[in-house]
Amino acid sequence: MSKYDELAARFGTPAYVYDLDVTAQSRDQLFSLLPEGFAVYYALKANPHPEIARELREGGCRAEISSTGELANALTAGFAPEDILYTGPGKTDGELDAAITAGVRLFSVESLTDLQHVGAAAERQDTVARCLLRVNTTQGSASTGIRMMGRPSQFGVDAETLPELMPLFKAVTGAKIVGAHFFTMSNAQDEDALLGEYEFVLQSAAQLRQEVGLPLELLDIGGGFSSPYAVPGERTDYPKLRNGLEQLLDLYLPEWRSGAVELACESGRYLSGTCGTLLASVVNVKESRGHRFVILDAGINVVGGLSGIGRLLPAAVGVEQIGDNPGQLVGPLCTPGDSLSKAAKLPELAAGDLLTVPNVGAYGVTASLISFLGRPAPTEVVVRGNEVISVSRLDYQRAYEVSL
Ligand SMILES: *Cc1c(COP(=O)(O)O)cnc(C)c1O
């Protein structure tokens, strides 16, 4: 019996299995790809499971969060509040109060008003928040992955407005801008494209410091590290990245070597993607007009990763409040975007057979429509090699038991 057959027999399906040995390898590999001294923020959006976050923390990662739920998971995983970066375009006063109460002091801000909200929340608790100004540059340089800059966006302050706005940003009380945050692309398989993007980021940051006085105590250059999603494969290796990045830093921010600029990057999928495998059982196999349908106990309620597969919402939402000002409606989440495969190549299968989907440790459970149609959430089994560390299941159904 294979390891997965045993786990399926013991804990049932659908189940995600996360192997912390693989989490640790991913983490160590990412640090080895970066110049010495780089901070790595783990984007809990990819997988907020506290055991995964803890494994990443123990190897030196910090946490990037964007909700009170992720805050709770980061704290459960043992992150010190000072190692947490709070990001997102829709930070509410309640969330900011909770984050500051918990000791979080570093925020990425996306507009002047966002900065004012952070400043006001910090002042309510007689403290000062350190803020990174997320920048939406005037153009981008690469063409792969999910492009986030150079267009109108809920993310980041438009770079061309900074000459005018910088004095206003600096005048906000309760919040001090200490650096910049860029997030230009996701899932870049092409190393040259990734380096090109970083060159553009470093050049923009240096130029903004020079021209508008943008502080650069801490510069978060974003991420883009690629990992396969729900298909077999390996994490992308970036053999030229470390040297390439060092050369770019020497060129644009030479004082990085003295530590005068603290450097950071972010990753979700690279750190947690390859550690996860989905175990699903065949419930039924049926033929219809020459097509074979293999019906699993896991659908898009279990593995519907919006960010992983680029699935975009088709709908245009219409609100009843109509006026004269054009605008885009967006939510607070950090991503633009019940058939699992239309042409899979499968063996002979019958009800009860087990199928496994590799590389779903990122954008699995929590990026899926887990409450859609009311099935239980999948079981999540954390292992380290052959040892089972924890078994859990998100219990959203109990939410109806809570009355306010
Ligand atoms: C989603 C997101 C990440 C993680 O992206 P990956 O492609 O999973 O590495 C990092 N930073 C920000 C700001 C994000 O929105």
Side-chain angles (χ1 to χ4, degrees):
M1 228 189 189
S2 83
K3 167 172 141 184
Y4 291 137
D5 287 312
E6 262 171 52
L7 291 171
R10 211 168 137 195
F11 301 111
T13 62
Y16 277 82
V17 179
Y18 307 126
D19 189 338
L20 296 181
D21 281 343
V22 180
T23 316
Q25 283 160 17
S26 312
R27 174 198 71 201
D28 296 346
Q29 184 177 2
L30 184 53
F31 275 107
S32 78
L33 295 176
L34 296 164
E36 203 72 39
F38 247 79
V40 173
Y41 283 91
Y42 173 54
L44 268 81
K45 177 178 75 186
N47 189 332
H49 197 296
E51 292 296 344
I52 291 176
R54 188 191 315 277
E55 187 69 22
L56 295 172
R57 173 182 68 76
E58 286 172 353
C61 292
R62 302 179 188 173
E64 189 258 311
I65 62 168
S66 132
S67 69
T68 48
E70 290 183 351
L71 172 63
N73 288 323
L75 296 173
T76 302
F79 284 96
E82 52 275 20
D83 288 336
I84 295 176
L85 167 64
Y86 205 112
T87 70
K91 300 184 273 300
T92 65
D93 289 345
E95 281 176 72
L96 290 170
D97 288 341
I100 291 170
T101 301
V104 177
R105 289 293 178 275
L106 185 62
F107 295 83
S108 165
V109 296
E110 319 253 7
S111 60
L112 178 59
T113 36
D114 192 27
L115 180 71
Q116 287 165 343
H117 294 161
V118 174
E123 283 189 322
R124 283 197 286 278
Q125 298 189 47
D126 293 320
T127 187
V128 178
R130 302 168 71 231
C131 292
L132 303 181
L133 197 63
R134 183 157 170 183
V135 179
N136 182 12
T137 53
T138 44
Q139 54 162 68
S141 63
S143 52
T144 52
I146 305 173
R147 295 301 326 277
M148 297 264 200
M149 301 208 300
R151 288 181 247 169
S153 172
Q154 71 264 49
F155 299 113
V157 178
D158 298 337
E160 65 275 19
T161 66
L162 282 174
E164 196 187 324
L165 290 181
M166 205 59 204
L168 304 179
F169 278 104
K170 288 191 171 172
V172 172
T173 56
K176 181 168 184 265
I177 294 177
V178 297
H181 176 200
F182 294 79
F183 188 73
T184 65
M185 68 193 307
S186 204
N187 212 13
Q189 270 149 312
D190 181 326
E191 182 165 41
D192 292 323
L194 188 63
L195 272 168
E197 203 70 24
Y198 288 152
E199 169 152 31
F200 185 68
V201 163
L202 293 173
Q203 195 179 11
S204 304
Q207 191 182 346
L208 287 168
R209 181 175 61 177
Q210 168 91 23
E211 289 175 5
V212 305
L214 179 68
L216 282 187
E217 283 168 42
L218 173 57
L219 173 60
D220 181 345
I221 65 168
F225 312 108
S226 173
S227 181
Y229 180 73
V231 290
E234 309 276 322
R235 291 182 300 276
T236 306
D237 198 14
Y238 298 99
K240 296 183 286 189
L241 186 64
R242 185 179 175 130
N243 273 336
L245 205 44
E246 287 183 357
Q247 280 168 19
L248 292 173
L249 286 162
D250 286 340
L251 185 60
Y252 295 106
L253 292 170
E255 67 278 32
W256 78 280
R257 291 204 180 259
S258 71
V261 179
E262 189 188 357
L263 293 160
C265 65
E266 306 167 347
S267 174
R269 70 187 69 227
Y270 198 86
L271 291 169
S272 61
T274 52
C275 79
T277 303
L278 174 65
L279 316 187
S281 298
V282 176
V283 177
N284 200 4
V285 181
K286 67 164 266 193
E287 299 282 336
S288 172
R289 295 182 177 143
H291 289 262
R292 190 162 64 122
F293 291 83
V294 174
I295 300 154
L296 303 177
D297 59 3
I300 59 167
N301 57 322
V302 168
V303 60
L306 291 168
S307 311
I309 58 178
R311 194 195 298 265
L312 296 178
L313 294 172
V317 170
V319 294
E320 289 167 326
Q321 295 72 20
I322 306 214
D324 293 330
N325 297 314
Q328 294 188 32
L329 282 177
V330 301
L333 307 182
C334 297
T335 178
D338 201 26
S339 164
L340 297 187
S341 170
K342 296 231 184 281
K345 294 206 166 78
L346 298 166
E348 265 316 305
L349 288 168
D353 286 349
L354 184 71
L355 291 180
T356 58
V357 181
N359 299 323
V360 285
Y363 306 112
V365 181
T366 59
S368 298
L369 300 169
I370 54 167
S371 70
F372 196 42
L373 282 145
R375 288 167 193 273
T379 305
E380 295 177 87
V381 184
V382 180
V383 301
R384 195 183 291 284
N386 288 321
E387 182 196 357
V388 175
I389 305 286
S390 82
V391 182
S392 60
R393 184 183 295 133
L394 290 172
D395 193 357
Y396 71 86
Q397 286 171 318
R398 280 180 49 191
Y400 290 111
E401 291 173 13
V402 178
S403 59
L404 297 177

